Amino acid sequence: MNDSLPELVHAAAPAGGSPWTMFLFLGGFALIFYFMIFRPQSKRRKEHAALVSGLAKGDEVVTVGGMTGLITRVEDDFVKVRIANNVEVRMQKGSVQASLPKGTLKTLDDK
């Protein structure tokens, strides 16, 4: 009975594959990781940097917090945004999420 035990152990040993299979598998994961995570994130970061650097007085914007307003003054790292009549807030340029087409705030106020 003990003589058959070594035969079972040898029969259960996994077959060795080609080392190239493992490299192709890891390379495929690296490509998927690049195209699904790094590339889109880099693209969004570049678009946001272009938006922030192009902010100007008179632009209508949406902040990260969801407030909409009109830029009244642009400073080095900050902008002043008018969010209501006689109400201006100073915020960092990075907190601007998107720029709206001209006239959007007027149509929002009309509703």
Side-chain angles (χ1 to χ4, degrees):
M1 187 160 140
N2 288 338
D3 294 333
S4 64
L5 185 59
E7 293 174 14
L8 292 175
V9 172
H10 291 295
S18 170
W20 290 105
T21 306
M22 184 178 66
F23 287 125
L24 287 174
F25 192 65
L26 290 174
F29 271 130
L31 284 174
I32 290 170
F33 195 71
Y34 172 76
F35 282 109
M36 294 191 73
I37 295 177
F38 285 133
R39 190 169 179 240
Q41 186 176 9
S42 173
K43 186 177 177 183
R44 280 192 302 268
R45 187 175 45 246
K46 286 178 185 178
E47 288 173 354
H48 187 258
L51 170 75
V52 168
S53 67
L55 291 175
K57 182 179 177 179
D59 286 349
E60 297 177 3
V61 295
V62 176
T63 67
V64 174
M67 289 191 304
T68 58
L70 180 73
I71 294 179
T72 59
R73 184 174 177 186
V74 178
E75 300 169 357
D76 289 337
D77 294 329
F78 295 90
V79 291
K80 277 193 175 179
V81 179
R82 186 176 72 221
I83 56 175
N85 290 337
N86 299 323
V87 179
E88 286 188 359
V89 293
R90 176 177 282 141
M91 59 184 56
Q92 290 181 331
K93 284 183 174 182
S95 65
V96 173
Q97 182 178 11
S99 181
L100 299 171
K102 299 281 183 188
T104 303
L105 293 178
K106 187 169 178 87
T107 60
L108 291 175
D109 290 340
D110 292 342
K111 291 182 181 179

